[in-house]
Amino acid sequence: MVGKGTQDASKGRGGAEQRRASASGAPASDPAKIRNVALVGRSGAGKTLLTEALLMATGAITRLGSIEAGSTVSDSDPSEVHQQRSVALSVVPLTVGDVKVNLLDTPGYADFIGEMRAGLRAADAALFVVSAVDGVDAATTALWLECERIGMPRAVVISRVDHPRAGYDAVLAACRESFGAGVLPVYVPVWRGGAITGLLGLLTGTVSEAGAALRPATEAELLDSEPARSTLIEGIIAESEDETLLDRYLGGAEIALDTLTADLEIAVARGSFYPVLATSAETGMGLAELLDLLTGAFPSPLERALPSVTDLAGRPVTTLSCDPAGPLVGEVVRTTIDSFLGRVCLVRLFSGTLREDSIVHIGGHGLADRGHQDHDSDERVTHLQSPLGATLRPVPFSVAGDICALTRLADAETGDTVSDRDNPLLVAAWEMPEPLMPVAVQGEAHSDDDALAKNLGKVAAVDPTLRVERNAETHQLVLWCMGEAHAEVVLDRLRAQGVHVQTVDVITPLRETFATPVAARGRYVKQSGGHGQFGICDIEVEPLERGAGFEFVNRVVGGVVPGHYIESVEKGVRAQMARGVAAGFPVVDIRVNLVGGKAHSVDSSDAAFQSAGALALREAAAAGRIQLLEPVSMVTITVPDAFVGPVMTDLSTRRGHMTGTTSVAEERTNTGADERTEINAEIPDAELLRYAIELRALTAGSGTFRRRYLRHEPVPAKVASAAVHA
């Protein structure tokens, strides 16, 4: 890594002109010459600007775009321009020498973690971007842990190092504390006049400065950097497979630069060593060194294991590798809908070669719980493209390890597998985050409802983190989102398609029950000339235990209600239970005993006794006491230990009942464990409507929770009064 960068730099660092000729959309043909790197970090860390700077350094663009103006290559979605931050995964390829680097710019905001996970699925390494101004937060640490769980090789870029408020040393220390002892700088800043003017390579002993050729470090610079150099060499030796290196180093032998560089690159690709670099997107400082890292240290697709693959019958396929000549296997990692191009699908190819005009199998399985039913179809690839942000450049083929775009597909969705028509396969779905914030929507007018339903299906098809639910009890259309920012993006996309949509308050699906036994009569008697309506029934209502449901018992004696009308009374009672008797919510957990009544030989009918049964239940409700029941969920909240106190205090304000806590230690490379606590609590659903946002605020973005329905419980009198009068 360091050696190749030194050689490249020695030939001239003005790279934009030199590299411009190779910055085309020509397809890569050798997986060994491909690097797929996800840019990961908190929102505002500088990922998008760093991408712009790298594009300019490699000659793909001639000037830097602006986030404020919405002119950056990777942020092209209208919602990104509106929110001034990345909300979607974007692929930006760079050409560095004969290596193609696919940068995957991922959103840093927690609402769009689904897009970040899609980027990790398509990547073979992750580049963490940490601002020298803002440092490391709990959310960034959580992202690091997520990458660690899947064994993703990582490196760290400390951005904005030339900012007046930058604190490089403090941020480096924070990275090592949060990410582990394996995080070590391979370059250190060179200071002059209180500002960083260049970078000193700890292994090469050379200094790079903007606008100047490489120069040897001065004696003073070498002396200042010696502690960092010793720590780096010791870290590399600790990761080396050559057990003699340590003895030679401790014996005073000088370890060859090529040996150290090779061991460093192996450790980075293996995911056990994490180099740190400093950069400035504005001045270009550190960009050459970063390009060197991307091409020299990060693994190619050949060095990474493929995800699990099965045939359509579910049988594992274990013979696949990243081979352009192998069976075709790719995965749709992101889908957008363009008004002219139709569905635009970003596809990471794991095996085989995808060619224009070929017929492929599109298979989607495993996301039925998100409203994406299993589906299979065969489609012709009419347009094969190489993506550069929103720009698509036609290519004749794409090989294993590369990322391409397919347009004008009819049925493809995010998470689908692209494979040979004659050998259809399925890639195991990656873990999707659970949307936990409900947003109720409706058309601004009844005439808008059809357009809303039609276009909402399109939006949901491209966003697996969105769940659409038509609540059978409240009759509301509910969008389950990751948070407010995610909901805003979904609504923006609907409005961009011409849908007039508005949000309304989410109704918690309460239920009603009888709190005490009560008796009542339902008398439905009407005379209007000719045949009338006659049905009288006497009932007794008893409350049952929670979850018992409904029982109807015939206790009529003497035939006062003819047998063929007994069922009619039950139908009427059930119908009224569904409509509710107090606040319009379904009635549950009662036993209704039919104890008497009257019938007329001419005027009685099925309809009359149904009406009498419904009326009897309403009369019982008026005479008795109705109890509202609310849904309660079991909630498991996972937070770092530092936030346990505030979270527990907050739960007490939500009518939460804590049932226990558990200490969770996540194994960490080089650092032992990260202590977190799981808090289990029973919380009414009405108190969880915005909990996804509020927990994030309480825990600096590091808290997560999951929930499952537990039971319905009586609503406190004050809350019940508000619900009845809402």
Side-chain angles (χ1 to χ4, degrees), residues 119 147 149 168 196 200 279 487 504 521 533 538 565 575 646 664 672 689:
C147 289
R149 278 192 288 269
Y168 172 83
I196 297 176
L200 186 154
T279 63
V504 294
R521 164 169 284 194
Q533 296 290 331
D538 298 317
Y565 291 139
V664 179
L689 297 179

Side-chain angles (χ1 to χ4, degrees), residues 73-135:
V73 172
S74 58
D75 284 356
S76 56
D77 190 294
S79 295
E80 293 175 318
V81 177
H82 171 63
Q83 294 193 20
Q84 298 283 287
R85 62 184 168 202
S86 299
V87 304
L89 172 68
S90 179
V91 178
V92 178
L94 312 172
T95 303
V96 186
D98 61 349
V99 177
K100 179 182 181 182
V101 180
N102 290 315
L103 286 182
L104 296 110
D105 187 8
T106 68
Y109 196 63
D111 278 18
F112 309 108
I113 191 172
E115 297 279 341
M116 192 276 291
R117 288 183 178 175
L120 292 180
R121 179 67 159 215
D124 300 305
L127 184 66
F128 272 72
V129 182
V130 179
S131 169
V133 178
D134 302 316

Side-chain angles (χ1 to χ4, degrees), residues 645-657:
V647 169
M648 284 186 165
T649 300
D650 176 72
L651 288 179
S652 66
T653 69
R654 298 178 184 277
R655 300 187 284 129
H657 170 62

Side-chain angles (χ1 to χ4, degrees), residues 203-371:
L203 297 182
T204 62
T206 56
V207 175
S208 63
E209 295 176 305
L214 281 175
R215 64 171 176 82
T218 65
E219 289 295 329
E221 290 168 342
L222 290 174
L223 184 63
D224 288 342
S225 65
E226 182 56 34
R229 182 175 189 273
S230 297
T231 302
L232 174 62
I233 292 176
E234 290 169 5
I236 295 172
I237 290 174
E239 295 294 332
S240 175
E241 296 177 356
D242 186 348
E243 298 179 357
T244 68
L245 275 187
L246 180 59
D247 292 336
R248 289 157 52 194
Y249 178 70
L250 294 178
E254 186 70 24
I255 308 299
L257 175 61
D258 289 346
T259 300
L260 291 173
T261 300
D263 283 341
L264 172 59
E265 293 177 357
I266 291 171
V268 172
R270 193 170 54 211
S272 58
F273 187 87
Y274 318 106
V276 180
L277 300 89
T279 63
S280 167
E282 289 76 10
T283 67
M285 181 194 306
L287 296 184
E289 289 77 12
L290 178 54
L291 290 171
D292 195 27
L293 167 74
L294 297 177
T295 57
F298 276 159
S300 75
L302 296 173
E303 301 170 75
R304 296 287 293 165
L306 271 60
S308 299
V309 178
T310 66
D311 60 19
L312 295 187
R315 293 183 292 266
V317 178
T318 59
T319 58
L320 294 175
S321 63
C322 185
D323 181 2
L328 178 65
V329 178
E331 186 172 28
V332 179
V333 294
R334 183 167 191 261
T335 309
T336 57
I337 295 182
D338 185 272
S339 56
F340 299 103
L341 299 176
R343 298 195 182 196
V344 180
C345 300
L346 288 179
V347 177
R348 162 67 196 265
L349 291 173
F350 295 109
S351 174
T353 298
L354 184 60
R355 299 184 184 279
E356 197 170 57
D357 209 36
S358 60
I359 298 177
V360 298
H361 179 83
I362 306 293
H365 293 253
L367 288 175
D369 60 330
R370 298 298 179 87

